[in-house]
Amino acid sequence: MQKQYCRVGTVTPVTGSNQSVTTLEFRYQHFLKKAADATYRNTNLGEFFSRKAEELKKILESIR
């Protein structure tokens, strides 16, 4: 029996390609939307999504 390698939990690095920028922009918009939606329901969850959006914004600025 051969060893099988599971890909669950693996991380694919985001490089500076055009496709990765598009993916990061999509994620940024997604987290902004989720933060706006969660702000009224759960303050902690809204803050979490806001911080994630800020992190993605910094990464996008450094790539561009």
Side-chain angles (χ1 to χ4, degrees):
M1 188 166 170
Q2 295 179 346
K3 291 184 180 180
Q4 296 180 355
Y5 296 99
C6 181
R7 294 186 63 192
V8 174
T10 61
V11 177
T12 304
V14 177
T15 58
S17 70
N18 196 16
Q19 184 181 10
S20 62
V21 172
T22 305
T23 303
L24 287 175
E25 287 174 349
F26 174 77
R27 289 182 183 173
Y28 173 68
Q29 293 297 326
H30 180 71
F31 279 122
L32 283 178
K33 182 181 176 192
K34 288 183 83 68
D37 292 344
T39 301
Y40 299 107
R41 286 184 263 159
N42 188 347
T43 311
N44 293 331
L45 188 59
E47 290 176 8
F48 170 77
F49 288 132
S50 295
R51 279 184 271 135
K52 286 293 186 181
E54 288 175 17
E55 291 173 6
L56 287 173
K57 183 178 179 182
K58 288 179 184 178
I59 292 171
L60 281 169
E61 290 173 350
S62 69
I63 289 176
R64 293 181 187 168

